[in-house]
């Protein structure tokens, strides 16, 4: 097993197509087969895009249109499209404040995980202390701990400390559960930094802290980028943690929208536009940092 | 080996870096300072809760009476919890295997395609979206109303392509004594007619604008040879059972001529609603307007029922996760030595044999990692079920992770809830051991 994983491409990317050299006969046969494959792939791609497209179009149609006809009718009658749903949505204070809450939760939860995780990862990679390997094994073990197991004990703890229903409480929970992955990913990356580089920094009289800040963090930037994107999306998209620990004042957008679910059929205008607003940021992040994102996913297989 | 090495991508010296170095200098005390925030949080939020939940699971709902393993007994006897355990089992058995297979398929299919990157981006995209939003997206896809839900819109049009929809759903006789509905939904005349009689049949219960475009003014047939008559839409407001100007015939109505309850002739009405059945031997005939003239239109499948709801939610999950499996497997695929594949091809192996005998065995460690990761994800599945299953069928779609939340925070039984949490933890334990062994093998 060990050898095979070692063969994993060290620079994973979505673009991993190989171009083997082949005889002319097989190439022609391959070309014919490729036509079929291309058609199949196009159908699959459409299959993957249409549901999201349906959400987008539904979010742009008035409520009356959504309840009387399918979103696909808008393709032939685009005049029914309107931004009204979005205007209504952004006029509602519960929605706007929950959107702000989502940002207020996601950003600190991401920054803190990177900071705390990087400090621990550096110690685990480059400072010798007794039991170091055991700590690392513990971190790997904690990667798969289900959130559910912490809900009741932490709810009790938050109740006792006054953190229940606060944004701080939600953030801390996310940070803690993001840490095993953060430490794991960053420590793997940090341990790849050439020793000479660190030794040289120390020769120059750098303290441990300044080595961390001036050498480790800048070199570790790609891994930090992967981690940040991953953690940010994870927190942004969360429902469960906020469902338990947030109250109406600190609830993120997912919880605010969930309140509209009960009457699904009559609330499509709110749900579709609200959901679309909530996925715009993740989609932008995904498409702009696709490469780092892929690396994070490949590294975080155990999460 | 261990962890898929994505994180090491581009790291300065990926191979030497495996051996974790130790710098000269640096003290245990310093390490503790660096580690402290992380350790404190992990201890409080992850490790303490495991023990706390284990203890809490042996107490009753109020938390003041020790009940031993009663909560676990309840977990395996309470029908609702059993149902959620059954569904989780279905998920674990079906979903990871399907997603891994689909991912492998996509990865292999895209291997030699020029626009593979674009394709993979599209299929990978759902993983960036919240399970909540994905749930909404698929609630919409599977909506019961064919006017709203794409799945049923397609189902209905496929269905109607094979069995044409009825022309006059919901239409009924003006006078139930003249035309009587039979159990199948067909309308049969109450009295009998002779071979050369005239039988006008008045129908109502249909909006005039629902008539086919070709329908023209109804005309009372003149008596003549053959059983003849008329089926027309007797609009309310005019004189009942009389053909008023403007009232139109109903084209395309299939009628059967019955003699002693056996069909002796079948006829279809014309644009003015008239029909003639010539050359009948003398006798007593009844006329039957076939049920398929009036059957209610097919409205698609109710996807959110007890038996269908879990497969439907799993299908949404496949849409979400296939890209993850594909990306992972594609990375493994790209790392397979070309020589091995070429050697097999030179030896005369077909593409399928190469795939089956060379590619898959070489990929199996990667496939295993993907599979285990998916199993862990499936065990914790929560949001998607909560969002996609409408309240009325939620109990039937329930899964362990969701049941745990409902019992603890909706049902107010933290005792049983803790037991379910521990159960969930025990289920991921094999994966935890798998990861640790993988990690240690790598060191």
């Amino acid at each position: 097993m060990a050898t095979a994983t070692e063969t994993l491409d060290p620079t994973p990317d979505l673009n991993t197509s190989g171009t083997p050299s082949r005889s002319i006969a097989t190439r022609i046969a391959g070309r014919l087969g490729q036509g079929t494959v291309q058609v199949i792939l196009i159908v699959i791609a459409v299959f993957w895009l249409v549901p999201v497209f349906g959400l987008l179009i539904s979010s742009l149609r008035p409520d009356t249109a959504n309840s009387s006809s399918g979103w696909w009718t808008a393709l032939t009658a685009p005049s029914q499209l309107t931004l009204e749903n979005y205007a209504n949505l952004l006029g509602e204070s519960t929605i706007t404040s929950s959107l702000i809450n989502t940002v207020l939760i996601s950003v600190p939860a991401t920054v803190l995980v990177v900071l705390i995780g990087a400090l621990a990862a550096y110690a685990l990679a480059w400072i010798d202390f007794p039991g170091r390997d055991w700590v690392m094994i513990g971190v790997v073990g904690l990667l798969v701990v289900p959130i559910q197991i912490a809900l009741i004990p932490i709810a009790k703890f938050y109740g006792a400390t006054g953190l229940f229903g606060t944004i701080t409480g939600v953030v801390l929970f996310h940070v803690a559960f993001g840490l095993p992955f953060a430490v794991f990913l960053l420590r793997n990356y940090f341990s790849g930094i050439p020793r000479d580089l660190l030794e040289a920094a120390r020769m120059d009289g750098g303290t441990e802290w300044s080595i961390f800040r001036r050498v480790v963090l800048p070199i570790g930037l790609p891994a930090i980028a992967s981690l940040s994107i991953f953690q940010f999306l994870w927190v942004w998209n969360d429902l469960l943690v906020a469902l338990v620990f947030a109250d109406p004042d600190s609830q993120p957008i997912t919880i605010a929208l969930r309140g509209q679910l009960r009457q699904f059929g009559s609330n499509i205008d709110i749900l579709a536009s609200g959901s679309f607003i909530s996925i715009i940021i993740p989609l932008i992040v995904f498409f702009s940092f696709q490469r780092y994102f892929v690396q994070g996913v490949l590294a975080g297989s155990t999460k | 080996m261990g962890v898929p090495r994505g994180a090491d991508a581009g790291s300065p010296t990926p191979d030497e870096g495996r051996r974790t170095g130790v710098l000269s200098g640096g003290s245990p005390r310093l390490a503790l300072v660096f580690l402290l925030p992380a350790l404190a949080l992990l201890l409080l939020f992850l490790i303490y809760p495991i023990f706390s939940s284990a203890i809490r699971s042996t107490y009753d709902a109020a938390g003041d009476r020790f009940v031993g393993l009663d909560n676990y007994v309840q977990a395996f006897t309470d029908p609702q919890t059993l149902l959620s355990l059954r569904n989780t089992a279905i998920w674990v058995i079906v979903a990871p295997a399907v997603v891994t297979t689909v991912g492998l398929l996509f990865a292999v299919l895209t291997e030699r395609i020029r626009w593979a990157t674009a394709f993979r981006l599209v299929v990978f995209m759902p993983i960036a979206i919240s399970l909540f939003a994905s749930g909404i997206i698929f609630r919409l896809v599977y909506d019961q109303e064919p006017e709203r839900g794409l799945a049923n819109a397609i189902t209905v049009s496929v269905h109607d392509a094979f069995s044409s929809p009825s022309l006059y759903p919901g239409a009924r006789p003006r006078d139930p004594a003249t035309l009587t509905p039979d159990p199948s939904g067909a309308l049969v005349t109450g009295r009998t007619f002779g071979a050369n009689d005239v039988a006008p049949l008045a129908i109502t219960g249909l909006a005039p604008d629902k008539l086919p475009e070709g329908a023209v003014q109804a005309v009372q047939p003149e008596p003549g040879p053959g059983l003849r008559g008329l089926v027309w839409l007797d609009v309310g407001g005019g004189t009942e059972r009389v053909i008023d100007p403007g009232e139109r015939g109903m084209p395309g109505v299939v009628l059967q001529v019955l003699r002693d309850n056996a069909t002796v002739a079948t006829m279809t009405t014309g644009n003015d609603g008239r029909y003639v059945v010539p050359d009948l031997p003398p006798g007593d005939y009844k006329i039957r307007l076939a049920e398929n003239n009036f059957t209610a239109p097919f409205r698609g499948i109710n996807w959110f029922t007890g038996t269908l709801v879990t497969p439907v939610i799993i299908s949404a999950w496949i849409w979400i996760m296939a890209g993850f499996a594909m990306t992972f497997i594609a990375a493994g695929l790209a790392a397979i030595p070309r020589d091995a594949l070429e050697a097999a091809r030179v030896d005369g192996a077909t593409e399928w044999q190469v795939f089956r005998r060379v590619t898959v065995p070489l990929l199996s460690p990667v496939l295993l990692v993907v599979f285990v990761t998916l199993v862990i994800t499936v065990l914790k599945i929560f949001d998607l079920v909560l969002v996609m299953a409408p309240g009325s069928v939620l109990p039937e779609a329930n899964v362990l992770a969701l049941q745990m939340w409902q019992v603890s925070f909706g049902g107010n039984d933290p005792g049983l809830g803790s037991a379910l949490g521990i159960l969930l933890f025990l289920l991921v334990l094999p994966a935890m051991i798998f990861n640790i062994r993988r990690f240690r093998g790598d060191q």
Side-chain angles (χ1 to χ4, degrees):
Chain A
M1 204 192 306
T3 48
T5 319
E6 291 301 325
T7 59
L8 267 178
D9 190 345
T11 53
D13 197 346
L14 286 170
N15 179 15
T16 48
S17 30
T19 45
S21 62
R22 333 187 54 198
S23 76
I24 294 176
T26 46
R27 216 177 288 169
I28 292 172
R31 194 61 57 83
L32 283 177
Q34 269 203 9
T36 328
V37 170
Q38 301 229 21
V39 172
I40 294 172
L41 288 179
I42 290 172
V43 171
I44 295 172
V46 168
F47 213 80
W48 247 256
L49 281 176
V50 162
V52 182
F53 192 65
L55 181 79
L56 173 62
I57 303 289
S58 299
S59 75
L60 293 171
R61 302 174 78 216
D63 197 24
T64 47
N66 273 328
S67 48
S68 63
S69 64
W71 58 264
W72 48 90
T73 55
L75 299 179
T76 48
S79 61
Q80 53 184 277
L81 297 181
T82 160
L83 285 173
E84 201 183 317
N85 293 338
Y86 287 93
N88 292 342
L89 198 74
L90 294 176
E92 266 189 57
S93 60
T94 34
I95 299 289
T96 45
S97 66
S98 66
L99 263 176
I100 294 169
N101 285 339
T102 296
V103 176
L104 289 180
I105 292 169
S106 312
V107 173
T110 306
V111 172
L112 282 174
V113 155
V114 168
L115 263 180
I116 298 175
L119 278 173
Y122 173 66
L124 286 168
W126 290 105
I127 306 180
D128 191 27
F129 61 92
R132 185 170 73 152
D133 291 347
W134 288 106
V135 172
M136 200 51 213
I137 285 172
V139 168
V140 172
L142 293 178
L143 278 170
V144 295
V145 171
I147 280 182
Q148 269 80 4
I149 205 159
L151 296 180
I152 293 171
I154 298 302
K156 216 168 140 193
F157 170 70
Y158 278 3
T161 51
L163 284 170
F164 202 91
T166 63
I167 285 183
T168 315
V170 179
V171 168
L172 279 179
F173 194 95
H174 279 303
V175 171
F177 270 84
L179 272 176
F181 173 63
V183 174
F184 173 74
L185 185 146
L186 294 181
R187 181 258 182 200
N188 274 1
Y189 196 93
F190 289 170
S191 52
I193 298 174
R195 172 193 304 271
D196 302 350
L197 217 63
L198 298 170
E199 292 285 5
R202 189 182 310 275
M203 294 300 174
D204 292 345
T207 62
E208 215 66 43
W209 171 247
S210 73
I211 294 174
F212 173 74
R213 222 164 45 89
R214 288 168 202 277
V215 183
V216 176
L217 284 190
I219 294 181
L221 217 52
I224 290 174
S226 286
L227 169 65
S228 309
I229 292 161
F230 221 65
Q231 171 79 4
F232 177 80
L233 289 180
W234 189 48
V235 177
W236 184 282
N237 289 334
D238 162 74
L239 178 74
L240 175 57
V241 175
L243 206 51
V244 174
F245 298 113
D247 69 5
D249 288 330
S250 56
Q251 66 179 14
I253 181 81
T254 43
I255 307 290
L257 289 177
R258 181 178 174 258
Q260 309 289 337
L261 257 185
R262 208 174 288 273
Q263 305 88 22
F264 181 80
S266 54
N267 273 343
I268 290 179
D269 51 332
I270 304 173
L271 283 168
S273 52
S275 301
F276 204 83
I277 283 188
S278 80
I279 66 175
I280 285 175
I281 301 284
L283 283 182
I284 292 174
V285 169
F286 170 74
F287 282 113
S288 350
F289 303 103
Q290 172 255 114
R291 188 189 162 79
Y292 293 113
F293 188 73
V294 171
Q295 289 170 2
V297 169
L298 292 183
S301 63
T302 41
K303 186 154 187 170
Chain B
M1 56 147 243
V3 236
R5 302 242 321 254
D8 303 53
S11 76
T13 50
D15 289 319
E16 282 160 44
R18 284 283 111 197
R19 283 267 125 235
T20 307
V22 174
L23 288 180
S24 50
S27 62
R29 200 185 315 153
L30 197 66
L32 189 65
V33 173
F34 274 54
L35 277 171
L36 201 60
L39 287 186
L41 284 170
L42 290 178
L43 218 62
L44 174 61
F45 283 85
L46 280 86
I47 295 168
Y48 156 73
I50 295 172
F51 294 101
S52 167
S53 289
I55 294 166
R56 185 68 185 81
S57 73
T58 59
Y59 282 82
D60 67 353
D64 38 42
R65 196 168 58 85
F66 181 76
V67 294
L69 293 178
D70 278 9
N71 284 321
Y72 294 91
V73 173
Q74 198 191 339
F76 286 102
T77 47
D78 167 46
Q80 182 51 63
T81 309
L82 271 181
L83 199 57
S84 71
L85 280 171
R86 187 205 68 177
N87 286 336
T88 297
I90 294 176
W91 271 89
V92 169
I93 292 167
V94 176
V98 173
V99 169
T100 309
T101 311
V102 170
L104 176 62
L105 206 70
F106 287 2
V108 170
L109 283 182
T110 48
E111 216 196 349
R112 286 189 224 117
I113 300 293
R114 206 166 305 139
W115 47 283
T117 311
F119 176 86
R120 290 177 184 169
L121 208 58
V122 166
V123 175
F124 196 43
M125 172 200 62
I127 211 168
I129 300 174
S130 65
L131 290 168
F132 178 87
S134 300
I136 301 287
I137 288 173
F138 277 88
R139 269 292 278 275
L140 210 56
V141 168
Y142 285 112
D143 198 288
Q144 162 79 73
E145 306 296 325
E147 289 81 26
R148 268 207 305 263
L150 187 60
N152 268 348
I154 293 170
T155 313
V156 167
S157 42
V158 170
H159 173 275
D160 290 352
F162 286 103
S163 69
S164 50
S166 66
L167 278 173
Y168 304 110
R172 54 176 202 277
R174 167 60 75 197
D175 178 5
T178 324
L179 266 177
T180 317
D182 75 359
S184 70
L187 305 177
V188 185
T189 51
R191 53 164 283 212
T192 56
F193 296 91
N196 294 310
D197 280 357
V198 173
L201 303 168
I203 298 290
T204 183
L206 192 76
D209 60 0
K210 289 279 175 6
L211 283 177
E213 297 221 337
V216 295
Q217 171 70 44
V219 181
Q220 178 82 22
E222 296 299 325
L227 174 56
R228 40 182 67 209
L230 161 77
V231 180
W232 92 98
L233 185 64
D234 190 9
V235 184
T239 322
E240 289 196 3
R241 268 159 283 179
V242 170
I243 305 168
D244 297 310
E247 289 184 344
R248 289 174 292 167
M250 294 170 66
V253 175
V254 175
L255 43 82
Q256 296 149 332
V257 180
L258 304 181
R259 186 175 192 181
D260 301 329
N261 287 329
T263 305
V264 295
T266 305
M267 204 44 70
T268 306
T269 56
N271 277 351
D272 55 3
R274 278 199 289 187
Y275 62 91
V276 180
V277 190
D279 305 330
L280 286 173
D284 295 331
Y285 297 97
K286 283 189 169 187
I287 296 164
R288 180 175 189 272
L289 308 185
E291 64 272 20
N292 53 16
N293 293 309
F294 311 111
T295 42
F298 177 66
R299 300 283 294 158
I301 300 163
N302 185 1
W303 301 98
F304 297 111
T305 57
T307 42
L308 276 182
V309 64
T310 297
V312 158
I313 302 176
I314 289 179
S315 76
W317 195 75
I318 294 170
W319 179 83
I320 297 166
M321 294 305 288
F324 162 79
M326 175 197 65
T327 306
F328 216 107
I329 295 169
L333 210 54
I336 287 184
R338 293 285 138 197
D339 311 356
L341 303 180
E342 284 306 307
R345 289 195 183 103
V346 169
D347 289 348
T350 63
E351 282 301 313
W352 170 249
Q353 285 170 328
V354 171
F355 174 74
R356 186 70 199 75
R357 301 277 165 80
V358 184
T359 311
V360 170
L362 281 176
L363 268 183
S364 57
V366 177
L367 295 178
L368 186 66
V369 171
V370 171
F371 184 80
V372 170
T373 308
L374 291 173
V375 170
I376 301 169
T377 322
V378 155
L379 283 171
K380 301 178 191 170
I381 195 105
F382 172 88
D383 325 31
L384 199 61
V385 179
L386 182 66
V387 176
M388 274 189 76
S392 52
V393 286
L394 188 56
E396 287 172 272
N398 213 341
V399 289
L400 186 55
L402 179 54
Q403 173 73 358
M404 185 272 158
W405 172 74
Q406 286 185 320
V407 165
S408 313
F409 298 93
N412 262 325
D413 188 347
L416 179 58
S418 297
L420 294 180
I422 290 292
L423 219 53
L424 201 58
F425 178 70
L426 292 177
L427 285 173
V428 299
L429 213 54
M432 183 185 282
I433 294 166
F434 173 84
N435 278 340
I436 291 177
R437 291 177 62 161
R438 217 151 52 93
F439 174 74
R440 294 191 62 165
D442 193 33
Q443 292 303 298

